Amino acid sequence: MSAAQVCLLVRSGCQICGRLGDQLTALAGELDFELSVVDVDEAARAGDAELRAEYGDRLPVVLLDGTEHSYWEIDEPRLRRDLAARGDVR
């Protein structure tokens, strides 16, 4: 099974976004998932305004395998459960 894909949607200058990025980076090392960070404003400037339109008013948002998992905070117990349910957690 491939590693889970966790994506953090952020906006430049967002302090909460930075804090969640640090948390997810630490968890990625422990739980072995692939982490990406996407700035919704940069994506919109590059021609993909969909993420900003969908999530822009409640950033940061955590997506697990492309599906919204949590926003404003990391629901760490739920993330751990959901990753374990995939069978990816060591």
Side-chain angles (χ1 to χ4, degrees):
M1 178 176 276
S2 64
Q5 302 295 309
V6 175
C7 180
L8 177 62
L9 303 178
V10 301
R11 174 168 280 137
S12 179
C14 169
Q15 292 179 346
I16 298 170
C17 297
R19 181 176 50 80
L20 264 63
D22 291 344
Q23 280 182 274
L24 284 172
T25 297
L27 287 171
E30 176 189 342
L31 301 175
D32 198 28
F33 58 80
E34 296 291 325
L35 175 62
S36 61
V37 178
V38 175
D39 183 309
V40 297
D41 296 320
E42 287 181 19
R45 282 191 291 276
D48 182 4
E50 184 177 326
L51 290 175
R52 183 170 64 187
E54 177 71 22
Y55 301 107
D57 63 340
R58 49 195 165 105
L59 296 172
V61 173
V62 177
L63 305 177
L64 175 58
D65 294 329
T67 301
E68 184 176 329
H69 191 268
S70 57
Y71 62 97
W72 296 335
E73 299 181 343
I74 298 169
D75 185 343
E76 187 175 332
R78 181 173 165 230
L79 181 60
R80 288 177 180 277
R81 276 193 314 272
D82 291 348
L83 289 168
R86 288 181 93 257
D88 292 343
V89 176
R90 292 182 261 160

